């Protein structure tokens, strides 16, 4: 298995496998972020638990992981969310390198209303009372103004979602 120097700079010469190189490089350089809903999700028609739009003019946002939790068995849809958003509240992306002052160049909204998009990246059910990863093996690439949204379609009492991603130069 090949190893590569971690990071785009030589600030921390740690070695990693090629598979994790980009995400780990972004962690080293302060370009990896997470977004999580912080309030109760209002289950209802056209509500997405979490929506992220890339606003960077110089970087693509690569979605590496999506984690979902519900207190009931729930159908989850991950879609492009190209229609206009209404309502919801803003979420701040958290830099995964705590010492970094970089901020996420993204607009993230929890519990926004948007029509379900025809572009569905993933759909399936998650079991009750489990934190479940949504498998996106190669990453989902968001260019400028592209969005990804997560919707829970079955009613429940509690619901959480976390999206982890990193930035790479266009």
């Amino acid at each position: 298995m090949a190893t590569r120097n971690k990071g785009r700079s030589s600030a921390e010469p740690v070695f990693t496998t090629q598979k994790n190189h980009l995400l780990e490089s972004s962690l080293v350089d302060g370009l990896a972020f997470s977004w999580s809903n912080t309030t109760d999700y209002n289950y209802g028609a056209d509500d997405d638990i979490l929506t992220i739009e890339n606003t960077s003019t110089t970087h693509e946002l690569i979605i590496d992981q999506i984690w979902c939790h519900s207190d009931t068995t729930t159908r989850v849809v991950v879609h492009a969310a190209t229609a206009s958003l209404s309502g919801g509240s803003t979420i701040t992306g958290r830099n995964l390198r705590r010492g970094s002052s970089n901020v996420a160049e993204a607009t993230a909204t929890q519990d926004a209303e948007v029509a379900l998009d025809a572009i569905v990246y993933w759909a399936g059910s998650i079991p009750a009372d489990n934190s479940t990863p949504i498998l996106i093996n190669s990453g989902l690439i968001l260019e400028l103004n592209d969005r990804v949204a997560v919707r829970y379609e079955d009613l429940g009492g509690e619901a959480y979602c976390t999206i982890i991603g990193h930035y790479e130069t266009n």
Side-chain angles (χ1 to χ4, degrees), residues 138-150:
S138 301
L140 176 60
I141 300 171
L142 301 181
E143 296 177 349
L144 177 63
N145 299 323
D146 285 348
R147 281 192 217 133
V148 63
V150 179

Side-chain angles (χ1 to χ4, degrees), residues 45-48 51 79 81-86 112-117 147 149 151:
D46 296 335
D47 279 8
D48 288 328
T51 303
H79 65 106
T82 57
S84 61
L85 298 175
S86 64
E113 292 184 17
V114 63
L116 183 62
D117 203 287
R147 281 192 217 133
R151 172 170 303 177

